[in-house]
Amino acid sequence: MYSSGAGGLSTYESDTLVVGGGIMGLTTALALIDRSESVTVLDPGRRQGISSWAGGGILSPLFPWRQDPAVNALARRSQQVYPELCRRLRERAGVDPELRSLGMVYADFPSKAPLDRERGRDWARDQGIEFQELDGEGLMDLEPELSPVAEYGLRLPGIAWLRNPRLMRGLARLAHEAGAGLVDGATALRLIQEGDTVRGVETDRGPLHAERVVVAAGPWSRELIRPLGVELPVRPIKGGMILLQSSRPLLGQLVMAGGHYLIPRADNRLLVGSTVDDAGFDSRTSLGAVRALAQAAVDMVPETANLELEDYWAGLRPSSPDDRPFIGAVPEIEGLYLNTGHSRNGVVHAPASAEMLATALTGEEPPLDPSLFAVDRELPEGG
């Protein structure tokens, strides 16, 4: 990210202040700049625990047939946008996010939770999405390194993925070049109120003022808006990952079995994800999480037992009770907007969520029904 420099924060007054320099904050800034709005992005500068940097970059909900239709609708909108966004990142920011559209196989292993095959293929048919069904032999022909105990595979050839850290670096550069003020290393302490209106943020380096404030701070959003009497049901859910180093490609596409997945990178490394742990704001990677991910990898692809464990990390996902994000204005508080609560779908939802938020600010026609993501929508019992 880019520092505000030694001149203080007073030079960063803008139409909109975005709190959060993760993927939601940066894509929101770009969507607003594309609409001729001036934007400042406040990023505390931390990387540990930020799910935008930690995820696998899969551009689809993991099991789309199990998702709320609104979750899939937001994902589809982003999937339409990503090829052009990645082109902009390559050409204007000089960063290649390595978008790979090679498909995903959902494999059924006897030792894993069974795949709901009928529900998956019925969903694909209903949505007009291309799919293939494979028996054990067909699965081995497609991916020879998979364990031979795999019984069945449902392949969705349209699923793509990219590399999160490259995406984030590219978005920061693109936003900077487009004119966003990027304030790195300042922590938001409280929102600045004038009556029932929010007009900025007090930081540990001084105040930042704006006509509007968008809180896109992931699971940290809840505490920032709570003093205003708004109880946002977003909590951190930790997801752990491991990275394996290989001298040759082991898979040609994404493979998922049970609750875990393998992501092949262009440099032959294999990303293994992910755990789900309700551990508050503890983003440390536990030995148990590493062991679970390593075992999942070996169960799916036995050769991974011989690979080097290169790295491991965890990120905190901002989870909502219905897995739908909160996008739009906060009722009864003028000048305050939210873009958070995307659960496990932050990367795939980001461009469309930014578009939804930008249309809410500018009065344009939104691409989807905004009530589906309203801050004050009805939530499941206990949410």
Side-chain angles (χ1 to χ4, degrees):
M1 295 291 285
Y2 298 85
S3 171
S4 61
L9 303 183
S10 61
T11 58
Y12 285 86
E13 293 190 18
S14 56
D15 295 330
T16 303
L17 171 62
V18 178
V19 181
I23 191 167
M24 293 304 154
L26 291 173
T27 53
T28 296
L30 285 169
L32 289 170
I33 290 170
D34 287 345
R35 291 161 172 82
S36 301
E37 297 284 314
S38 62
V39 182
T40 298
V41 179
L42 174 64
D43 183 1
R46 57 177 175 254
R47 294 292 174 264
Q48 184 177 5
I50 303 296
S51 59
S52 298
W53 291 81
I58 302 173
L59 300 186
S60 170
L62 291 183
F63 292 93
W65 54 88
R66 301 176 187 173
Q67 297 292 328
D68 185 301
V71 170
N72 283 325
L74 202 61
R76 282 194 298 273
R77 181 67 180 179
S78 284
Q79 288 160 353
Q80 296 167 1
V81 173
Y82 258 115
E84 173 61 18
L85 176 59
C86 290
R87 185 195 65 78
R88 289 176 68 187
L89 294 175
R90 289 192 299 270
E91 295 181 0
R92 294 177 55 185
V95 176
D96 183 5
E98 290 191 5
L99 178 66
R100 310 186 79 192
S101 302
L102 301 177
M104 183 169 186
V105 173
Y106 295 85
D108 226 344
F109 285 80
S111 61
K112 306 290 184 183
L115 180 67
D116 39 357
R117 307 177 187 183
E118 184 175 353
R119 186 178 177 186
R121 61 177 176 254
D122 287 350
W123 173 84
R125 286 195 188 102
D126 290 344
Q127 299 298 315
I129 292 174
E130 182 183 357
F131 72 95
Q132 301 164 353
E133 293 188 275
L134 304 162
D135 59 15
E137 184 177 344
L139 200 54
M140 292 301 298
D141 289 340
L142 181 70
E143 294 290 354
E145 293 292 344
L146 282 181
S147 169
V149 302
E151 302 171 331
Y152 169 89
L154 177 67
R155 181 171 185 260
L156 301 183
I159 292 181
W161 67 96
L162 46 68
R163 289 177 65 173
N164 282 32
R166 291 186 175 216
L167 174 66
M168 293 300 297
R169 285 194 292 270
L171 288 172
R173 290 184 189 176
L174 192 60
H176 175 72
E177 293 187 4
L182 300 179
V183 182
D184 192 21
T187 300
L189 302 177
R190 63 178 182 85
L191 297 171
I192 298 173
Q193 282 185 275
E194 297 176 3
D196 293 330
T197 302
V198 169
R199 289 292 186 227
V201 175
E202 188 70 46
T203 81
D204 58 353
R205 286 166 50 192
L208 277 166
H209 297 281
E211 289 297 309
R212 298 174 296 265
V213 173
V214 178
V215 176
W220 293 272
S221 301
R222 180 175 189 166
E223 294 305 313
L224 189 59
I225 68 171
R226 176 175 279 166
L228 279 64
V230 180
E231 281 296 333
L232 182 68
V234 170
R235 72 186 197 279
I237 298 294
K238 181 163 64 175
M241 311 280 289
I242 62 174
L243 182 66
L244 305 177
Q245 189 175 94
S246 176
S247 61
R248 63 183 178 87
L250 291 179
L251 295 173
Q253 60 213 295
L254 289 161
V255 175
M256 181 144 196
H260 299 100
Y261 52 79
L262 304 178
I263 303 176
R265 289 195 344 197
D267 59 8
N268 293 335
R269 287 173 171 82
L270 200 63
L271 196 59
V272 187
S274 66
T275 58
V276 179
D277 186 11
D278 191 350
F281 286 92
D282 180 2
S283 61
R284 296 173 298 177
T285 307
S286 69
L287 180 60
V290 172
R291 178 182 178 183
L293 292 167
Q295 187 63 58
V298 173
D299 288 346
M300 285 188 269
V301 176
E303 176 60 23
T304 58
N306 299 316
L307 301 185
E308 177 187 348
L309 174 60
E310 182 174 336
D311 204 355
Y312 53 87
W313 61 86
L316 302 178
R317 311 177 184 103
S319 293
S320 73
D322 57 5
D323 287 336
R324 285 190 241 157
F326 297 98
I327 308 171
V330 176
E332 301 181 7
I333 301 178
E334 186 179 344
L336 181 61
Y337 297 79
L338 297 180
N339 190 2
T340 189
H342 294 77
S343 299
R344 301 186 77 168
N345 299 305
V347 173
V348 67
H349 278 171
S353 297
E355 186 181 17
M356 290 289 295
L357 196 283
T359 59
L361 284 172
T362 60
E364 297 176 42
E365 185 70 22
L368 300 170
D369 180 1
S371 69
L372 297 171
F373 313 104
V375 176
D376 59 349
R377 68 179 180 267
E378 185 175 349
L379 294 168
E381 186 176 351

